[in-house]
Each structure stands twice: as C-alpha cells, then as structure tokens.
Amino acid sequence: MYTFAPRKNTNMGLQCGIVGLPNVGKSTLFNALTSAGALAANYPFATKDPNIGVITVPDSRLDALAAIVNPQRVQPTTVDIVDIAGLIKGASKGEGLGNQFLANIREVDAIIHVVRAFDDDNVVHVDGSIDPVRDKEIVDTELILKDIETVEKRLDRLRKQSKTGDKEILRELEFGDQLLKHLESGKTARSFIRDEETALYIKNSLILTGKPVLYVCNVDESSIHTGNHHTQKFIEFVKPENAQVLLISAGIEAEITELPEEDRAGFFSDLGLTEPGTFKISRAAYNLLELITYFTAGVKEVRAWTIKKGMKAPQAAGVIHTDFEKGFIRAEVIHYDDYIHYKSESAVKSAGKMNTEGKEYIVQDGDVMHFLFNV
C-alpha cells in the first residue's frame, strides 16, 4: 500500500468553521458560543470577513480534579471557531461572496454546518421558504463544484508528472480519477473515504467536502427537545453520512449569554435543559477535530491540554513547551479514574497506580501527566 505523506501541523491551532446560507443563524450562534459580539443582522451577507473566536470546552473532569487539588487557578481547553460569510447558489463561480467563502472554508479543519429549521416571517430566507434539506444541498453542490475544479487541476499536473513512471504519482493519479468520478456523481468527498489511505489522500488534497462535518439545526424554543417536521426530514436525509446532528435554538443561546451567571440555572430549568446548547457544540467540535485532553495538576494550576488523538508523550509535552519535547526523559502518568479514586497524587503513588512511560507511550484521553526533561 502506498502512503500519501501528511502535511506538517506543528501546532494545535485547529479551527472549526461555521457555514451555511445567509440568515440561518450562524452569527447569532457564533456570538452565543464566543460572546464576541459578531454582527448578527437580518439581511444577507451581514458577515463579510470571517469572525474568529475562542470557545471553552466544558469538561467535568477538570472540575473534579480542581476540587481535589484546590489550585490557585483552573485553565480549561479551548477550540477556535470561525464565523464564515453566508453562501448562495453560484458561489463556486464567484456569486455573492463565493470566492471569499470558499477561501475561508479551505482554511478550517472541520465544518459546523448550520441549517434553519424554524418558521418566522420576520426573518427573511434567501430562497424565500424554509427547507433545511434544500439548503444543505445548495451548500454541498457549491462545494462539490469547487472540489471538481480543484481535482481537475491536480490531475492535469499529475498526468504531466506521471510520464516519469513514478509509482507514487501513478497511484495518486488513480485515486484522483476515482475521486473525480465520485464528485461528478454529486457525492461529497467524505463519502469517498473507505480506509486510512483514502482518508489521508482526501485530507492532503485540500478538498472542501472531505472535511468532517457537524450539523446544527437552528430551531425555535418549542422544538429544542423533540424537533419538528423540518428537523425530522433533515435527520432522515443525512443518515447515510453518519454525521452528528444537534438541535439548537440560537435565539435562546443568545439570551443565555446576556443573563447574569446566577440566573442561568433557573433559565435552564424553566426550559427543561441541564446546560446551554453551546456546551454541546463545543464538545462536538472538539471531537470533530479528533482532539483529546490530558491534564496537569498542581497547587498553582490544574489545566487541561489539547492534543491530537494518537500523540505520543514527547509530542504531548511539546504542547506545554518545545523544550519539554526536545529534552523529554519520561512521563509520570496517572489515569484519571485512579486520581479521583485515591484523592491525591501521593495516595496514587502509595497504591502503585502511577506509571512511568517513555517516548513511545500514546497519551490517553484523561491522563494526568507530569513530564521530566533535560534543559
């Protein structure tokens, strides 16, 4: 099997982009997620330049560790969110803000696709009626058309290079031809992925429809628990994609952010909620980017650190500081459940539950770690 070398990614600055048609609630949701105050207006193209914000990822494990250690500060992990301009038919040919939209979406690592699933005559729809399935297909079609253009250009280059007989180039050319036929049949690149090799090929080809996706149905207050006829139709339509679908009311989320902290629990209770919908989106975005969390726990700080799933201990140490990775000696690792059970690091050590791990250790989600390194 041939392998397509992954592009270098030396930092954890991964981003999720919020996309969708104009006036589906993207910017309202972005404001609720980030409290960044992005413009949310009732007319198309209110968002021209992408707004970038940072959202905290709620994690009850961090709170539990902090309750045991009682540190001076607690630092949660975060995800970058980008609010991208609304897309319309013809975006792949530059209609509306199409070129800008496509350039912005190319830069993000995963997609939060917002569709409108509520009726409100006071909020105009760019296509005049409410149909989340149609809206999704418009976005998909424009992205697929752009992907076809991208793949065709890549194939032109590969055909010229293939005259050398290089097996790697010939293999990539074969994949490209298969992908082009797949896209031309109206299917996204995500559905082309069938194994690790095709997944890596899609990831390295800057294909828009190959990015992992989370769907958010923006609903009214009465539909946040059970949905409505719009969401039922949409959920059924996207079933073959095996993508997560969340029901969120952007309007309610915006109201929550304006309330004092002490009033929010009562507001949740009145709506039959246990937490803001934005928390669900934060966690889903984190998972979508294939991120996991490890912790450091000391009296000065209990902190959650973000790493890519599958990272080894030296790479994880390098997220704290590059010197930690360069001079890595070993890692002392406590599994989260053991830390919670024994209530302190010293008790964990006494019970023989602290492990010493070397350079090949693959960090597990929830590990509590201490790194030893040479300066």
Side-chain angles (χ1 to χ4, degrees):
M1 183 177 80
Y2 294 93
T3 58
F4 304 105
R7 299 195 307 277
K8 269 288 185 183
N9 189 352
T10 56
N11 59 56
M12 297 310 301
L14 302 177
Q15 297 180 329
C16 278
I18 301 180
V19 306
L21 297 185
N23 286 4
V24 297
K26 300 188 315 303
S27 293
T28 301
L29 187 60
F30 176 82
N31 288 345
L33 282 164
T34 65
S35 299
L39 173 63
N42 181 21
Y43 56 89
F45 310 125
T47 304
K48 292 183 179 179
D49 297 316
N51 297 302
I52 301 175
V54 179
I55 60 174
T56 297
V57 181
D59 193 328
S60 60
R61 297 174 302 179
L62 184 66
D63 298 328
L65 288 171
I68 292 172
V69 179
N70 193 26
Q72 295 173 17
R73 60 181 176 272
V74 178
Q75 182 65 47
T77 191
T78 61
V79 170
D80 288 350
I81 295 289
V82 184
D83 178 24
I84 298 172
L87 171 147
I88 61 170
K89 291 177 185 175
S92 59
K93 302 302 180 184
E95 293 294 327
L97 297 172
N99 290 330
Q100 186 171 341
F101 173 94
L102 295 165
N104 295 151
I105 198 172
R106 197 181 298 282
E107 295 302 314
V108 301
D109 303 279
I111 296 169
I112 300 174
H113 188 159
V114 181
V115 294
R116 178 173 166 181
F118 67 91
D119 298 296
D120 187 342
D121 292 338
N122 294 318
V123 181
V124 297
H125 189 288
V126 71
D127 282 323
S129 62
I130 309 304
D131 185 344
V133 169
R134 176 205 60 207
D135 294 353
K136 168 189 153 38
E137 289 187 305
I138 289 172
V139 173
D140 281 353
T141 297
E142 296 304 323
L143 298 183
I144 287 170
L145 288 171
K146 196 63 181 180
D147 280 347
I148 289 172
E149 182 183 315
T150 299
V151 173
E152 286 176 337
K153 288 179 180 178
R154 188 178 183 88
L155 286 174
D156 285 342
R157 291 195 301 271
L158 288 171
R159 288 191 184 100
K160 293 174 185 176
Q161 297 169 359
S162 67
K163 294 175 183 178
T164 64
D166 186 290
K167 290 183 179 180
E168 185 76 13
I169 292 174
L170 290 172
R171 179 65 166 163
E172 192 170 349
L173 187 60
E174 179 188 349
F175 268 59
D177 283 327
Q178 293 173 5
L179 176 59
L180 182 60
K181 290 183 178 119
H182 185 85
L183 293 167
E184 287 176 336
S185 70
K187 299 174 184 176
T188 65
R190 281 185 296 276
S191 59
F192 179 76
I193 296 171
R194 53 185 180 267
D195 52 31
E196 287 185 14
E197 192 176 14
T198 48
L200 190 56
Y201 176 79
I202 293 295
K203 184 176 181 180
N204 291 339
S205 299
L206 300 176
I207 299 298
L208 301 175
T209 61
K211 297 177 186 292
V213 64
L214 162 72
Y215 293 109
V216 174
C217 290
N218 185 14
V219 299
D220 55 29
E221 182 179 326
S222 64
S223 305
I224 54 176
H225 295 293
T226 58
N228 54 39
H229 67 286
H230 295 307
T231 61
Q232 290 165 8
K233 180 181 174 185
F234 184 82
I235 290 169
E236 189 63 30
F237 185 77
V238 301
K239 265 186 182 177
E241 297 187 36
N242 293 318
Q244 186 176 2
V245 180
L246 296 179
L247 306 183
I248 303 291
S249 171
I252 288 176
E253 299 304 319
E255 285 184 50
I256 290 172
T257 61
E258 294 175 1
L259 289 174
E261 193 71 39
E262 61 270 17
D263 294 338
R264 294 183 184 182
F267 187 82
F268 299 151
S269 179
D270 290 343
L271 293 172
L273 301 171
T274 56
E275 64 178 6
T278 52
F279 283 13
K280 296 177 184 177
I281 295 177
S282 300
R283 286 192 290 264
Y286 199 73
N287 292 330
L288 198 64
L289 291 168
E290 296 186 327
L291 302 174
I292 63 171
T293 300
Y294 77 84
F295 302 97
T296 52
V299 292
K300 288 187 177 180
E301 180 182 69
V302 169
R303 181 164 182 163
W305 298 91
T306 299
I307 62 170
K308 285 287 285 185
K309 190 180 296 182
M311 268 192 175
K312 293 181 180 179
Q315 294 172 289
V319 173
I320 299 177
H321 197 287
T322 53
D323 287 348
F324 283 28
E325 181 174 4
K326 291 175 185 176
F328 180 89
I329 300 173
R330 63 181 182 275
E332 294 176 343
V333 182
I334 302 172
H335 295 305
Y336 170 78
D337 289 341
D338 289 332
Y339 205 113
I340 298 302
H341 177 74
Y342 291 101
K343 302 297 183 185
S344 73
E345 184 176 314
S346 58
V348 170
K349 287 181 179 178
S350 298
K353 293 293 185 177
M354 176 183 282
N355 300 323
T356 299
E357 304 289 356
K359 293 182 178 180
E360 295 304 309
Y361 177 70
I362 297 174
V363 178
Q364 302 300 302
D365 187 44
D367 280 350
V368 183
M369 306 188 74
H370 175 68
F371 299 104
L372 288 85
F373 63 100
N374 285 317
V375 179

